Amino acid sequence: MTRKINIFDTTLRDGEQSPGASMNTEEKLVVARQLLRLNVDVIEAGFPISSPGDFESVRRIAELAGDAATVCGLTRAVEKDIDAAADALKYAKRPRIHTGIGVSPSHMRDKLRITEDECVERAVKCVKYARNFVEDVQFYAEDAGRSDYAFLARVIEAVVKAGATVVNIPDTTGYSLPEEFGARIKYLMDHVDGIENVTVSVHCHNDLGMATALSLAGVKNGATQVECTINGLGERAGNTAMEEVVMGIRMHGEELDAATDVNTREFIKASRLVSSITGMNVQANKAIVGANAFAHSSGIHQDGVLKKRDTYEIIDPAEVGAGTSQIVLTARSGHAALRHRLEELGYELEGEALDEVYEAFLNLADKKKEVYDEDLESLVNERDRNESALYTLEGVQISCGFPLTPTATVTLRNQADQVVTACEWGTGPVDAMCKAVNKIVQVDNDLTEFSVQSVTRGIDALGEVTIRVTDPSGEVYTGRGADGDIVVSSTKAYLNALNRLLNDKQGQRK
């Protein structure tokens, strides 16, 4: 039978210790509700003795959780800490006191200044004292990752005999390698009398970027509880990220003989909520919940994902609440990705038509980091405008500035496939451009309206220009043009308006 792995969330305690990530009581309650939606097994709600605010947070979350989750309060191996935790948890239906002491040579020698015997004595004393208030007592062996194997086993065996129901083996500094940490857990499973009767927990930090790997190594070697946080929030480089370790267990459940009860479809919502409340932004390439976790910009990858998602995705984005895979259009995207996105937008282009839009797409993509849907619509519309054009733009160059006279050089291709160039000056760059175009096209018109707007967001967005001209009879013709260069957009728009005027006149003559 697959082992159930309990998920112990410490976002509201260890996560909040991340510099700049502190939360008030109301914010903690909002996060706690989301943790309940995630269906975590244990919520470590805070460190009650540390402040009145933390005490109140633990008390209110204990009331909120009811039977849905165990609520835990942290303490040191100090009686007044345990008293405060017990008081904060007195209304909890499933209370747990989490107490403990440092067990590494460094902690005993430099921080606590106690002997090994004194360490064992204090560990046993705090567990027994906590058992006076609650039946569920978790003991943490702080800095277990750097402790002596035999001494750690001695401490754990002593607290198990004293009544601890959960023993927490932390790699407090994130120092261990996964293989070594797994071996440490296995050593305890093999050498601690009575350990089979308690829950073995792992609490790993990310100082070397291996928190998730360390936790999974612990699970593989016998641990049945993982302590973690949303987004990997926590002291220094953070803790094991819940979304990573849970999905790791889901992907490798058979190999690990493990499963969790977490509602993974709430991960994206939880991630964004915690990020919003704490102000700690999630890096784009963060596993599972990062903005790019299910995004593909390489043409090869896009082609594979469009044919079958699991060619490049091991997780269905919907499983974590991320919706669907994202095909990000960049200069590395191929025909397949472009055709797919155009079809989603309602455009069915094949052959030469698709090649023309793809060429325009690549020209734009070389100038922008990402091409958006609005950009594609603009490119398709630009192609449609050129199809019926009597004159097409080959090039435009503007020279202007203070104290220069605005000058425009425009090159067009006419129906006879002749390339014609004209140069004119004007009161401004647009006026100079219009005069140069008119010198070639030679059709009576008045420019009556000029407007420009951004097609998409960002400094590198396409600018779409709308121009209206009137002929001598008062008929109005509208032209549009889009490009990353506003001068080119303006020239395309003006030329589009004149082409419409010319096409209309030719039709009248026929």
Side-chain angles (χ1 to χ4, degrees):
M1 185 176 177
T2 302
R3 292 179 303 147
K4 159 71 185 300
I5 306 301
N6 290 328
I7 296 301
F8 177 112
D9 180 84
T10 184
T11 302
L12 302 177
R13 200 278 300 170
D14 201 328
E16 197 210 15
Q17 291 173 201
S18 181
S22 61
M23 294 175 258
N24 60 37
T25 298
E26 293 304 321
E27 290 170 334
K28 283 191 171 187
L29 285 166
V30 171
V31 174
R33 291 186 184 96
Q34 181 60 32
L35 293 174
L36 293 173
R37 285 190 284 269
L38 278 162
N39 198 37
V40 301
D41 300 284
V42 185
I43 298 174
E44 188 167 45
F47 187 3
I49 195 68
S50 65
S51 72
D54 239 30
F55 180 94
E56 181 65 8
S57 296
V58 175
R59 186 188 70 79
R60 292 183 64 182
I61 292 170
E63 292 178 340
L64 171 71
D67 284 322
T70 296
V71 178
C72 180
L74 183 73
T75 80
R76 296 166 295 181
V78 177
E79 289 187 358
K80 66 177 182 179
D81 283 25
I82 297 170
D83 290 337
D87 193 21
L89 292 166
K90 64 184 177 182
Y91 297 115
K93 291 192 176 180
R94 293 167 56 188
R96 178 185 294 179
I97 292 176
H98 189 188
T99 189
I101 194 168
V103 298
S104 68
S106 171
H107 279 228
M108 288 186 290
R109 181 186 66 244
D110 302 324
K111 185 178 79 169
L112 301 170
R113 297 178 181 175
I114 57 175
T115 64
E116 289 186 348
D117 288 343
E118 288 173 319
C119 178
V120 174
E121 181 183 344
R122 288 176 63 173
V124 168
K125 184 179 178 182
C126 72
V127 169
K128 286 183 174 180
Y129 188 71
R131 281 300 300 259
N132 292 325
F133 302 100
V134 295
E135 293 183 359
D136 190 4
V137 175
Q138 177 167 323
F139 174 82
Y140 64 82
E142 189 176 15
D143 204 22
R146 296 190 294 174
S147 65
D148 175 75
Y149 274 49
F151 177 67
L152 177 60
R154 177 187 168 193
V155 174
I156 297 303
E157 186 166 312
V159 298
V160 169
K161 288 179 179 176
T165 52
V166 183
V167 288
N168 174 14
I169 314 301
D171 185 25
T172 306
T173 60
Y175 172 77
S176 300
L177 291 172
E179 185 177 358
E180 190 278 327
F181 188 70
R184 184 179 295 273
I185 299 299
K186 189 174 189 310
Y187 180 88
L188 295 176
M189 302 302 294
D190 292 341
H191 292 83
V192 173
D193 187 31
I195 199 166
E196 68 278 3
N197 300 318
V198 300
T199 297
V200 178
S201 183
V202 289
H203 177 116
C204 301
H205 280 258
N206 206 40
D207 297 68
L208 293 176
M210 294 188 287
T212 298
L214 291 166
S215 295
L216 291 174
V219 169
K220 187 173 184 178
N221 285 277
T224 52
Q225 177 175 285
V226 175
E227 304 188 14
C228 46
T229 62
I230 299 296
N231 296 337
L233 206 62
E235 286 270 15
R236 304 182 312 279
N239 290 49
T240 299
M242 184 199 298
E243 58 275 7
E244 293 178 12
V245 75
V246 167
M247 294 312 294
I249 290 171
R250 176 171 288 199
M251 292 293 102
H252 297 279
E254 187 173 336
E255 179 185 348
L256 297 170
D257 182 31
T260 76
D261 289 337
V262 171
N263 178 8
T264 62
R265 291 179 182 271
E266 292 289 330
F267 274 146
I268 294 296
K269 188 187 298 182
S271 172
R272 290 173 181 169
L273 176 67
V274 170
S275 179
S276 173
I277 288 176
T278 62
M280 304 287 283
N281 294 327
V282 176
Q283 67 194 57
N285 64 332
K286 166 77 172 63
I288 314 301
V289 295
N292 293 345
F294 301 100
H296 307 272
S297 66
S298 161
I300 295 172
H301 287 222
Q302 291 173 338
D303 183 53
V305 167
L306 290 172
K307 288 173 179 172
K308 199 170 191 300
R309 183 191 55 77
D310 60 11
T311 54
Y312 285 100
E313 285 182 357
I314 60 170
I315 298 169
D316 183 343
E319 284 189 52
V320 297
T324 60
S325 307
Q326 299 175 50
I327 301 299
V328 181
L329 295 178
T330 69
R332 294 177 299 280
S333 299
H335 280 74
L338 179 63
R339 182 190 296 109
H340 172 76
R341 184 60 61 82
L342 287 172
E343 287 174 353
E344 288 185 332
L345 294 173
Y347 301 104
E348 294 186 6
L349 300 179
E350 296 291 342
E352 187 179 337
L354 179 63
D355 290 340
E356 288 176 4
V357 174
Y358 184 67
E359 185 179 351
F361 159 75
L362 287 181
N363 289 334
L364 178 60
D366 279 336
K367 302 172 186 175
K368 298 185 64 175
K369 289 183 179 180
E370 181 178 346
V371 177
Y372 302 105
D373 291 349
E374 297 88 345
D375 294 321
L376 294 182
E377 290 173 339
S378 183
L379 292 178
V380 172
N381 291 336
E382 191 69 35
R383 176 190 169 276
D384 291 342
R385 287 192 286 265
N386 287 335
E387 271 198 323
S388 59
L390 300 177
Y391 290 87
T392 56
L393 180 65
E394 292 291 311
V396 57
Q397 184 173 338
I398 299 290
S399 176
C400 64
F402 181 80
L404 299 176
T405 299
T407 305
T409 301
V410 175
T411 301
L412 305 181
R413 185 180 295 274
N414 63 22
Q415 271 188 304
D417 204 31
Q418 296 170 324
V419 175
V420 186
T421 299
C423 182
E424 282 288 345
W425 60 271
T427 56
V430 174
D431 181 51
M433 175 274 293
C434 290
K435 286 179 177 177
V437 170
N438 277 320
K439 191 172 184 178
I440 299 171
V441 176
Q442 296 183 355
V443 59
D444 288 339
N445 70 91
D446 288 319
L447 195 157
T448 56
E449 185 178 329
F450 177 97
S451 65
V452 61
Q453 66 176 14
S454 172
V455 172
T456 55
R457 56 193 177 275
I459 193 74
D460 56 359
L462 280 180
E464 185 171 72
V465 172
T466 301
I467 283 178
R468 288 186 172 87
V469 301
T470 58
D471 67 6
S473 68
E475 192 73 30
V476 177
Y477 298 89
T478 300
R480 290 187 174 86
D483 196 88
D485 186 319
I486 195 65
V487 171
V488 177
S489 298
S490 302
T491 310
K492 286 180 176 180
Y494 187 52
L495 196 55
N496 178 229
L498 296 187
N499 276 319
R500 288 188 168 192
L501 190 160
L502 288 167
N503 280 323
D504 193 27
K505 298 306 178 190
Q506 282 189 0
Q508 290 176 8
R509 284 197 294 270
K510 289 178 182 177

